[in-house]
């Protein structure tokens, strides 16, 4: 038979795991746009150098 303390331990563990996943998801969303912008900036510079060579 389960005790109430076991349920509380499982609940707190789920909350902590959910908190970490939420933090990781927010960090990845925060860094996604600047990373994409940086990649396109590098590509634009590469494309500009190729155009100058022609």
């Amino acid at each position: 038979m389960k005790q109430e303390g076991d349920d509380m331990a499982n609940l707190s563990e789920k909350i902590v795991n959910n908190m970490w996943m939420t933090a990781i998801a927010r960090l990845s969303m925060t860094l996604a746009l600047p990373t994409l912008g940086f990649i396109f900036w590098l590509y634009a510079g590469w494309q500009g150098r190729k155009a100058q060579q022609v």
Side-chain angles (χ1 to χ4, degrees):
M1 184 174 215
K2 285 189 173 184
Q3 294 182 358
E4 191 173 323
D6 291 340
D7 290 339
M8 292 301 287
N10 288 338
L11 180 62
S12 64
E13 186 177 323
K14 287 180 183 179
I15 290 171
V16 168
N17 288 339
N18 190 22
M19 181 188 69
W20 279 108
M21 292 304 289
T22 303
I24 291 170
R26 286 183 179 178
L27 180 64
S28 68
M29 286 185 283
T30 302
L31 296 176
L33 284 177
T35 303
L36 287 174
F38 180 68
I39 290 170
F40 281 115
W41 176 74
L42 288 175
Y43 175 73
W46 173 79
Q47 194 175 26
R49 284 191 301 273
K50 290 292 242 182
Q52 287 176 355
Q53 290 177 354
V54 173

